[in-house]
Amino acid sequence: MSIKEKWQDYRQRQEAKAYFRSHNHYILKGKDYALMIGVGLIEGLIIGAILAFLENLLPVSFAIIYILIGYLMAETMKRLTDIRSKQVGIVSAVMTLVCVYLREVIGIIMMQSSLLMNISFLTVLRLAFGALASIGLIGWLFILAGMYVAYIRSL
């Protein structure tokens, strides 16, 4: 095979790949990822604020809520992109974990404001990470179950 034939074969493969990508609606593009992450952050803030407020009112924390968070996150991502794929599942699972983290951040901010403390935002983030690390085995199992539900529902 000469160099000219190899070059034509390479160009045909590149054209076929470009055609496939342009006509395949199951492939996510960069703007789809940005949209899913943005909507996931907004949804995470809303759900995190609701959970932090409920846990502030009630002395009991329900770990089974994490499975519901995963379900809600997956349904939002599926409806947002109209795609059911592995990539949507991964983003849904990660955004479920981000939602749990944002719940901790909002809970610490609520506690800080009720005690009239003045703490920097980086300290709040660090305290939230510590609170996330100290959830416990059962809590982490439910978080992982919620992430699994988010992944599976997005396929």
Side-chain angles (χ1 to χ4, degrees):
M1 188 178 258
S2 69
I3 294 176
K4 187 176 185 180
E5 291 173 344
K6 285 182 183 180
W7 177 251
Q8 278 192 321
D9 185 45
Y10 172 76
R11 286 189 55 213
Q12 286 176 350
R13 281 184 290 164
Q14 292 300 332
E15 287 175 8
K17 190 187 297 184
Y19 179 81
F20 175 74
R21 287 187 177 164
S22 67
H23 289 82
N24 190 354
H25 64 278
Y26 291 109
I27 293 179
L28 293 175
K29 297 174 180 50
K31 65 179 180 176
D32 294 329
Y33 284 113
L35 182 65
M36 286 192 313
I37 290 171
V39 170
L41 285 174
I42 292 170
E43 183 180 8
L45 281 171
I46 292 170
I47 292 173
I50 292 170
L51 287 177
F53 181 73
L54 288 176
E55 288 181 1
N56 196 13
L57 290 177
L58 302 172
V60 179
S61 175
F62 300 104
I64 198 149
I65 299 268
Y66 299 137
I67 295 174
L68 180 65
I69 291 171
Y71 178 81
L72 291 173
M73 198 63 72
E75 291 300 317
T76 302
M77 296 301 160
K78 279 191 319 190
R79 289 188 179 149
L80 184 68
T81 60
D82 289 331
I83 297 174
R84 298 181 80 142
S85 69
K86 182 179 176 181
Q87 291 85 10
V88 175
I90 292 170
V91 172
S92 298
V94 169
M95 294 315 292
T96 301
L97 182 62
V98 168
C99 180
V100 173
Y101 180 72
L102 289 175
R103 181 192 62 84
E104 295 293 339
V105 168
I106 293 170
I108 290 173
I109 290 172
M110 288 174 64
M111 180 187 65
Q112 168 190 336
S113 65
S114 68
L115 295 175
L116 301 174
M117 298 172 60
N118 191 9
I119 301 176
S120 71
F121 190 68
L122 291 176
T123 305
V124 169
L125 295 177
R126 193 173 61 230
L127 287 172
F129 185 72
L132 192 65
S134 67
I135 285 179
L137 179 63
I138 300 297
W140 272 106
L141 288 176
F142 277 103
I143 291 171
L144 291 174
M147 291 173 68
Y148 179 75
V149 166
Y151 180 76
I152 292 299
R153 292 289 302 163
S154 297
L155 294 180

